[in-house]
Amino acid sequence: GAESRNDFEHKIGICKKEIKESKHWLRMVVLAAPILQVKARVLWNEASELNLILSAIVRTSKANKTQLAARTI
């Protein structure tokens, strides 16, 4: 698990990079084997949904961090 909010956001960022790389390789698979396009599309959509979820998590975490900082000033 994450040791701090910054560590958490960093780990989510790593996950987002992994998603981007996975989508890249899905594109390569479809170029190499067009017959797999339908299966790759399903995985592509799943990766896109995960990316949206992780982006929302980071936004919420940063907003909460900003609110917390404003309260302590």
Side-chain angles (χ1 to χ4, degrees), residues 26-67:
L26 286 168
R27 283 191 299 270
M28 297 297 106
V29 165
V30 170
L31 289 174
I35 197 164
L36 297 174
Q37 184 173 5
V38 173
K39 290 182 180 181
R41 175 55 59 188
V42 171
L43 295 172
W44 174 277
N45 289 339
E46 187 74 20
S48 293
E49 289 176 18
L50 284 170
N51 193 45
L52 290 172
I53 291 167
L54 293 176
S55 294
I57 290 170
V58 170
R59 262 193 318 276
T60 301
S61 179
K62 287 183 178 183
N64 289 343
K65 185 169 42 175
T66 302
Q67 289 176 356

Side-chain angles (χ1 to χ4, degrees), residues 6 15 18 23 37 44 51:
N6 288 338
C15 293
E18 293 293 334
K23 289 170 73 174
Q37 184 173 5
W44 174 277
N51 193 45

